[in-house]
């Protein structure tokens, strides 16, 4: 298929193949620029996905939160009474509550304390969809028993490995002795380097200043067949404005929006993509400009024979598209491999996505086409009379 495409544009392909070293340099440059865009987009997506992973794993059809809630890093509470009020609405089957706060986890090896996100749940009711959490939820009914996020930062200690070998792990949380009764995998995020899940009773003992009737998240389970959006609209209209009713995905989007627009993170990753795009334009332009300069007599001959600037621009754009295609392929496979290495090393939810690959390819085509259009200025200035 590729050979047929090349035969349709013999001049553009021959121009590129005359200087194989230059072609290789051009392809390497475009590959580098594309990889830079792939890496920036991949890390941004992975970090955002990690930040909202617990939101999306809440076992609920609808979520009740404080309207001022922006991020798990700084949670806002509301009255549990609002959650119970939802039971009077048609379609609501049951409710559940979640406490959230930041505690101090002590690494038993280094004796250093590190902030960790603590989730307090009702052990008798499933609050998360994590299989490991549901499997060990009964184990945290006793006081000072917790489930630990083994995908968190290593500064918390090698909890997962020790627990799997010994079946037990003891340390301190907020200065109180606790036992790890199970592990699950969520991972570090912007809001927290790690997570701990415990019972609501243990949570209130770990945070004695907290009021039992003030919760951070209300989980609403609907009756089978109920329309989530319809029930959400009814709750939003009927409940006071001191609470906000969302779907779990809407809850996750609040967190994602905060980190994307409320901080410099989105700008930084966007800047990285922009730099890769500009680097690619410069590289392709230099290659095409050099090609035009080296083959100026041939192009001047074509102009003297009556070929228009539009035809010559088409040749340059064909060269640019060939370069885009040849540079994109290796960048795609190399970035795919880097994603796998990154996941293995950090457990970040990073993977190659179809929409991202399409976006980078389109940016590559635009990048190369723009470079070809700029290089055309050199060709338009060429006068056959001056050359011959």
């Amino acid at each position: 298929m590729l050979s047929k495409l090349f035969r349709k544009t013999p001049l553009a392909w021959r121009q590129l193949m005359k200087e194989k070293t230059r072609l290789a340099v051009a392809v390497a440059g475009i590959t580098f620029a594309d990889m830079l865009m792939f890496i920036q987009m991949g890390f941004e997506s992975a970090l955002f996905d990690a930040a909202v992973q617990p939101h999306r794993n809440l076992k609920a059809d609808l979520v009740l939160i404080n309207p001022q809630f922006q991020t798990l890093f700084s949670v806002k509470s509301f009255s549990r009474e609002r959650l119970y009020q939802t039971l009077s609405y048609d379609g609501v089957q049951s409710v559940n509550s979640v406490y959230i706060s930041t505690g101090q986890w002590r690494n038993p090896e280094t004796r250093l304390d590190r902030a960790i996100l603590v989730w307090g749940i009702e052990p008798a009711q499933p609050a998360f969809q994590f299989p490991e959490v549901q499997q060990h939820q009964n184990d945290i009914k006793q006081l000072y028993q917790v489930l630990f996020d083994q995908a968190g930062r290593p500064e918390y200690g090698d909890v997962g490995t020790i627990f799997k070998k010994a079946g037990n792990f003891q340390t301190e949380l907020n200065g109180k002795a606790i036992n790890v009764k199970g592990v699950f995998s969520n991972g570090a995020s912007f809001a927290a380097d790690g997570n701990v899940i415990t019972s609501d009773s243990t949570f209130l003992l770990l945070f004695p200043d907290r009021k039992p009737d003030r919760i951070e998240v209300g989980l609403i389970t609907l009756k089978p067949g109920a329309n989530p959006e319809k029930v959400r609209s009814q709750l939003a209209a009927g409940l006071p404005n001191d609470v906000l009713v969302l779907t779990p995905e809407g809850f996750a989007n609040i967190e994602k929006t905060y980190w994307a627009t409320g901080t410099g993170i989105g700008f930084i990753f966007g800047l990285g993509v922009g730099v890769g795009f500009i680097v690619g334009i410069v590289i392709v332009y230099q290659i095409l400009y050099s090609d035009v300069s080296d083959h100026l007599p041939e192009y001047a001959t074509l102009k003297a024979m009556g070929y228009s600037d539009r035809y010559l621009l088409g040749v340059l754009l064909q060269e640019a598209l060939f370069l885009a295609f040849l540079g994109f392929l290796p960048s795609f496979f190399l970035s795919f491999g880097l994603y796998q290495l990154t996941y293995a090393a950090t457990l970040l939810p990073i993977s190659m996505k179809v929409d991202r690959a399409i976006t980078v390819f389109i940016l590559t085509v635009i990048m190369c086409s723009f470079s070809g259009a700029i290089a055309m200025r050199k060709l338009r200035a060429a006068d056959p009379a001056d050359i011959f």
Side-chain angles (χ1 to χ4, degrees):
M1 181 178 178
L2 190 58
S3 61
K4 292 181 180 179
L5 179 62
F6 288 164
R7 285 197 294 269
K8 291 180 181 179
T9 55
L11 180 58
W13 182 243
R14 286 201 302 270
Q15 292 291 83
L16 288 174
M17 291 302 294
K18 281 184 178 179
E19 293 287 344
K20 292 183 174 59
T21 302
R22 181 184 296 165
L23 174 62
V25 171
V27 171
I30 297 171
T31 298
F32 171 78
D34 282 357
M35 285 183 64
L36 184 58
M37 291 190 285
F38 267 125
I39 290 171
Q40 293 295 319
M41 290 181 179
F43 275 116
E44 180 184 42
S45 176
L47 291 172
F48 285 156
D49 287 345
V52 301
Q53 192 156 289
H55 307 64
R56 291 172 173 167
N57 275 282
L58 290 172
K59 194 172 182 59
D61 298 305
L62 295 174
V63 175
L64 209 62
I65 61 172
N66 188 309
Q68 297 182 348
F69 181 96
Q70 291 182 300
T71 172
L72 295 175
F73 182 76
S74 180
V75 290
K76 303 290 184 180
S77 61
F78 64 94
S79 174
R80 191 199 297 266
E81 179 185 357
R82 297 287 181 256
L83 180 61
Y84 291 146
Q85 288 176 358
T86 65
L87 291 170
S88 63
Y89 287 79
D90 292 336
V92 176
Q93 177 173 293
S94 62
V95 296
N96 194 5
S97 58
V98 178
Y99 295 102
I100 305 174
S101 190
T102 301
Q104 294 295 318
W105 174 276
R106 174 159 295 179
N107 185 323
E109 298 175 347
T110 64
R111 307 300 297 172
L112 296 176
D113 289 341
R114 190 177 183 90
I116 195 168
L117 200 63
V118 184
W119 302 73
I121 65 173
E122 168 56 55
Q125 294 180 271
F128 287 98
Q129 299 182 52
F130 296 112
E132 305 96 330
V133 175
Q134 296 186 14
Q135 180 182 352
H136 295 284
Q137 194 156 318
N138 288 331
D139 297 335
I140 60 175
K141 287 183 177 180
Q142 297 182 16
L143 295 178
Y144 298 111
Q145 314 298 312
V146 305
L147 304 178
F148 181 79
D149 178 11
Q150 63 181 344
R153 294 286 303 170
E155 286 80 3
Y156 294 115
D158 197 5
V159 182
T161 302
I162 297 175
F163 176 80
K164 289 176 181 178
K165 289 182 178 179
N168 189 31
F169 188 96
Q170 296 180 338
T171 185
E172 294 181 12
L173 181 58
N174 280 4
K176 295 180 172 61
I178 56 98
N179 292 317
V180 174
K181 301 298 290 185
V183 293
F184 66 100
S185 297
N186 179 78
S189 67
F190 295 119
D193 289 335
N195 299 269
V196 162
I197 297 176
T198 187
S199 68
D200 49 2
S201 300
T202 298
F203 182 93
L204 294 173
L205 291 174
L206 292 171
F207 300 92
D209 295 335
R210 290 294 305 271
K211 296 179 180 180
D213 63 335
R214 303 292 294 183
I215 62 175
E216 278 65 51
V217 182
L219 307 180
I220 302 172
T221 300
L222 303 181
K223 296 177 181 178
N227 187 316
E229 186 55 37
K230 182 179 179 180
V231 177
R232 191 200 69 78
S233 299
Q234 292 175 348
L235 293 174
L239 293 174
N241 58 7
D242 57 356
V243 290
L244 186 63
V245 188
L246 300 167
T247 62
E249 187 61 30
F251 182 33
N253 286 335
I254 290 180
E255 183 86 27
K256 184 176 180 179
T257 300
Y258 172 81
W259 293 108
T261 62
T263 66
I265 294 173
F267 173 79
I268 291 171
F269 283 111
L271 182 64
V273 174
V275 169
F277 184 77
I278 294 173
V279 167
I281 288 177
V282 173
I283 291 173
V284 177
Y285 168 72
Q286 291 293 335
I287 295 299
L288 293 180
Y289 184 87
S290 299
D291 179 78
V292 170
S293 299
D294 292 347
H295 301 95
L296 204 56
E298 290 92 328
Y299 285 116
T301 301
L302 291 174
K303 292 182 72 173
M305 293 170 61
Y307 285 94
S308 64
D309 286 343
R310 177 180 295 183
Y311 172 82
L312 298 179
L313 175 61
V315 173
L316 279 182
L317 290 180
Q318 288 169 3
E319 289 188 37
L321 292 176
F322 280 129
L323 291 173
F325 182 77
L326 294 174
F328 173 80
L329 279 181
S331 71
F332 174 84
F333 291 108
L334 289 172
S335 298
F336 183 85
L338 287 176
Y339 286 170
Q340 298 301 310
L341 289 175
T342 301
Y343 175 77
T346 65
L347 294 181
L348 276 175
I350 184 170
S351 61
M352 182 62 71
K353 298 181 178 179
V354 175
D355 58 340
R356 186 184 309 143
I358 294 173
T359 299
V360 172
F361 181 71
I362 292 174
L363 287 175
T364 307
V365 171
I366 295 173
M367 172 179 72
C368 294
S369 300
F370 184 70
S371 301
I374 298 176
M376 182 62 189
R377 293 186 305 171
K378 172 72 173 177
L379 205 55
R380 285 176 176 171
D383 188 345
D386 294 336
I387 295 176
F388 296 104

